Amino acid sequence: MNLQELIDETNELLYYNSNSWKVIESKQKELLNILSPSTSISKINHSTIKKYIQILKAKGNSPNTINAKTAYFKHILKYAFHNNLISNMPFIPTFKTKNRKDKFLNNSEILQIIQWCRHNKQTELLKIILIGLYTGLRINNILSLQPDNIQNNNLQIYDKKVNSYYTLPISRKIRYILNPETFIPFEINYQRCYYLFNQMKKELLLDKNITIHTLRHSFCSFLVQKDVPIPIIQRLANHKSINTTLRYTHTKFEQLKNAVDML
């Protein structure tokens, strides 16, 4: 089997229902441009991967971006290995990245965002943003919501990242949006949502580190600030490890420092 055939097979089996298809497609095209589509997957080895990474570096990709692109490469090679298409799983390194504090939205920024959506008649985007802020759901989960996911003021969510279902209570503030009798699945796709969010960010001159995923970070941060116990936040965010949830506690410590400075 060659690289093109492997990509075609994994597309059909793994990615046919992905809201981030355009992102995956971009990684595929670049991979095929660097390594020939006719490359036999049985001949992919350390040298092949080293060449791929060196070209990514030469093109100016950051460590984060290289990790994202090699993660896709690793994923399809794992598929090949587990299905006995290759006998050995090549090692693909992960590069160290700079630790950055997660960005959180404050009340002023949230108000600006809501006003922008209303002024520009971006009703779907506004609903997505409010759901993100009050549920902490990842954007792909929000975009794939169906009326059947809404039951007795709860959301029944299948989280692909951790491969499990979980139940999430719906805040009273967004029950008018998540009403099973009136809820209409979103027509907007991931790429359009991403584009509109970035356009809004530029027009409002918001921090460049704010992304649509910041909605999820803000949800967790708000709960920490409200003194919600960490294990409960972990369950609401559906974090596999509590260590992921603990990173939000620094926002509470910053509040304590600010309080001391007021003395």
Side-chain angles (χ1 to χ4, degrees), residues 27 56 61-70 97:
K27 293 174 184 176
L56 290 179
N61 288 282
S62 69
N64 273 324
T65 303
I66 292 174
N67 286 340
K69 292 177 178 179
T70 55
T97 58

Side-chain angles (χ1 to χ4, degrees), residues 105 110 113-114 117 123-146 149-150 155 157 166 168-171 173-179 183-186 188 193 212-220 222 236:
L105 294 170
I110 291 171
I113 287 171
I114 291 173
C117 289
T123 306
E124 277 202 317
L125 181 63
L126 177 57
K127 289 180 180 179
I128 289 166
I129 287 170
L130 291 174
I131 292 172
L133 285 171
Y134 285 103
T135 67
L137 285 176
R138 297 179 179 88
I139 183 64
N140 284 343
N141 289 126
I142 296 175
L143 293 177
S144 62
L145 284 174
Q146 300 291 323
N149 294 122
I150 309 168
L155 287 174
I157 301 297
Y166 71 104
L168 181 65
I170 300 172
S171 167
K173 294 183 178 180
I174 56 169
R175 284 180 188 172
Y176 73 97
I177 298 175
L178 296 174
N179 182 328
F183 180 77
I184 299 174
F186 294 109
I188 191 172
C193 187
I212 202 158
H213 194 69
T214 301
L215 302 172
R216 178 169 169 83
H217 293 320
S218 299
F219 170 78
C220 295
F222 294 154
L236 290 172

Side-chain angles (χ1 to χ4, degrees), residues 12-193:
E12 183 177 349
L13 296 175
L14 303 177
Y15 302 118
Y16 68 94
N17 195 29
S18 172
N19 285 312
S20 56
W21 167 246
K22 288 292 183 184
V23 178
I24 296 168
E25 188 178 39
S26 174
K27 293 174 184 176
Q28 291 173 352
K29 286 181 178 178
E30 186 171 43
L31 177 60
L32 290 170
N33 282 334
I34 295 174
L35 305 180
S36 170
S38 61
T39 298
S40 171
I41 61 173
S42 64
K43 293 183 178 179
I44 293 175
N45 54 27
H46 175 71
S47 296
T48 312
I49 293 164
K50 184 178 179 180
K51 170 189 172 184
Y52 175 58
I53 292 173
Q54 284 176 339
I55 293 175
L56 290 179
K57 285 182 177 179
K59 293 172 75 172
N61 288 282
S62 69
N64 273 324
T65 303
I66 292 174
N67 286 340
K69 292 177 178 179
T70 55
Y72 167 75
F73 196 10
K74 184 185 297 185
H75 189 58
I76 62 171
L77 289 176
K78 277 187 177 180
Y79 171 86
F81 178 68
H82 291 312
N83 287 276
N84 299 316
L85 300 175
I86 55 176
S87 57
N88 294 299
M89 177 63 201
F91 172 72
I92 299 181
T94 300
F95 293 90
K96 290 184 179 180
T97 58
K98 293 181 180 179
N99 291 324
R100 293 190 308 177
K101 284 186 178 180
D102 293 319
K103 175 67 183 174
F104 311 107
L105 294 170
N106 57 41
N107 290 334
S108 175
E109 290 167 333
I110 291 171
L111 181 59
Q112 284 181 280
I113 287 171
I114 291 173
Q115 290 175 339
W116 186 92
C117 289
R118 287 174 176 167
H119 177 74
N120 290 278
K121 298 181 180 179
Q122 294 295 338
T123 306
E124 277 202 317
L125 181 63
L126 177 57
K127 289 180 180 179
I128 289 166
I129 287 170
L130 291 174
I131 292 172
L133 285 171
Y134 285 103
T135 67
L137 285 176
R138 297 179 179 88
I139 183 64
N140 284 343
N141 289 126
I142 296 175
L143 293 177
S144 62
L145 284 174
Q146 300 291 323
D148 289 347
N149 294 122
I150 309 168
Q151 301 173 15
N152 301 318
N153 292 323
N154 293 317
L155 287 174
Q156 304 296 324
I157 301 297
Y158 175 69
D159 193 333
K160 291 182 180 179
K161 189 167 184 179
V162 294
N163 192 30
S164 66
Y165 285 91
Y166 71 104
T167 301
L168 181 65
I170 300 172
S171 167
R172 289 190 295 271
K173 294 183 178 180
I174 56 169
R175 284 180 188 172
Y176 73 97
I177 298 175
L178 296 174
N179 182 328
E181 296 182 2
T182 58
F183 180 77
I184 299 174
F186 294 109
E187 294 183 2
I188 191 172
N189 60 25
Y190 179 87
Q191 291 71 37
R192 180 63 179 167
C193 187

